[in-house]
Amino acid sequence: QQQVKQSPQSLIVQKGGISIINCAYENTAFDYFPWYQQFPGKGPALLIAIRPDVSEKKEGRFTISFNKSAKQFSLHIMDSQPGDSATYFCAAPKGGYQKVTFGTGTKLQVIP
Amino acid sequence: KAGVTQTPRYLIKTRGQQVTLSCSPISGHRSVSWYQQTPGQGLQFLFEYFSETQRNKGNFPGRFSGRQFSNSRSEMNVSTLELGDSALYLCASSLDNRGLRSSYNSPLHFGNGTRLTVT
């Protein structure tokens, strides 16, 4: 039973373009919404996170937009670079304690 | 500060064998959780530990077990290996110094995983 739905599955963006990845969740009892970035051969690394009482958070070229009423949040990567090519996961803590439910991942390829 | 360390990085086992994976959390982190990552199922929660106690468990068979030591280091064990157990096993730690839910101020930090191949 999927609790976090992520789209698209893959994304190809030109260098300098904007990459947008979307996630929708079902449960309202989440404390925060993180995004993780994973390069081949590495574990996921926390990229940026947002609290549910904030509608937007920006860190450098990365922005999370959060729509509580629609139960959706998205990651925007501005001025996408080839070094951003990785798999991105949205996540939501569910079930208490440290358990986190992850989206299915989006493989981003930024072409020169 | 050193990150989450997982050993070994790679393992090749045959069906029916058992395997033990090790995880050293970030210094000061008291909570350790384990995830299985496969191309078909993505990242799936296995279990989590806090103060040597398992607090939560995912939907995996009893062949998957784990434990946490007093220094917060953790091990997971898979017995009677099956081909479908081939995956990247990831360990994550978090500060969680109040024994509470994963939070904005105490997010998960992952290691680089152990790649298990079962033949």
Side-chain angles (χ1 to χ4, degrees):
Chain A
Q1 185 179 359
Q2 191 175 359
Q3 303 290 332
V4 180
K5 296 182 180 179
Q6 183 174 346
S7 63
Q9 190 173 4
S10 62
L11 184 60
I12 299 175
V13 174
Q14 287 258 320
K15 179 182 175 182
I18 301 174
S19 305
I20 301 175
I21 304 171
N22 300 299
C23 274
Y25 62 95
E26 299 175 0
N27 194 312
T28 57
F30 294 130
D31 294 320
Y32 72 115
F33 297 89
W35 283 91
Y36 284 84
Q37 179 189 55
Q38 185 177 28
F39 292 104
K42 301 290 187 181
L46 180 65
L47 182 64
I48 186 173
I50 193 169
R51 289 188 168 103
D53 57 346
V54 176
S55 61
E56 185 175 282
K57 180 177 180 182
K58 184 176 180 179
E59 287 185 359
R61 297 184 293 108
F62 300 91
T63 299
I64 298 180
S65 297
F66 181 70
N67 186 329
K68 191 172 184 177
S69 60
K71 297 183 183 179
Q72 294 177 344
F73 57 111
S74 60
L75 176 68
H76 295 235
I77 305 174
M78 312 300 287
D79 187 26
S80 298
Q81 300 296 312
D84 297 331
S85 297
T87 300
Y88 293 82
F89 294 92
C90 61
K94 179 184 181 300
Y97 302 121
Q98 304 298 310
K99 180 181 178 181
V100 175
T101 299
F102 287 87
T104 50
T106 297
K107 189 171 183 179
L108 170 66
Q109 184 181 358
V110 181
I111 54 177
Chain B
K1 193 182 257 189
V4 178
T5 304
Q6 292 188 246
T7 56
R9 285 300 311 275
Y10 303 94
L11 267 176
I12 300 176
K13 293 285 186 179
T14 56
R15 279 180 298 175
Q17 287 187 313
Q18 76 166 23
V19 67
T20 298
L21 313 181
S22 181
C23 172
S24 293
I26 293 172
S27 177
H29 283 197
R30 298 174 62 188
S31 173
V32 173
S33 50
W34 290 87
Y35 289 79
Q36 181 195 64
Q37 185 175 27
T38 60
Q41 299 298 318
L43 280 153
Q44 291 193 293
F45 173 79
L46 279 157
F47 30 63
E48 63 167 298
Y49 290 86
F50 178 83
S51 290
E52 302 178 64
T53 301
Q54 186 181 90
R55 297 194 298 192
N56 217 336
K57 192 176 189 303
N59 295 324
F60 280 82
R63 300 184 297 107
F64 291 82
S65 63
R67 59 177 176 168
Q68 185 182 32
F69 302 96
S70 59
N71 61 359
S72 294
R73 193 176 68 84
S74 177
E75 289 181 346
M76 70 163 281
N77 184 277
V78 188
S79 63
T80 319
L81 284 166
E82 300 177 0
L83 294 178
D85 296 334
S86 294
L88 179 67
Y89 290 88
L90 293 161
C91 171
S93 74
S94 63
L95 189 59
D96 190 27
N97 56 6
R98 295 188 294 163
L100 300 176
R101 288 160 61 140
S102 177
S103 71
Y104 184 83
N105 294 318
S106 180
L108 294 182
H109 296 271
F110 285 87
N112 287 327
T114 295
R115 172 73 63 184
L116 172 64
T117 302
V118 182
T119 62

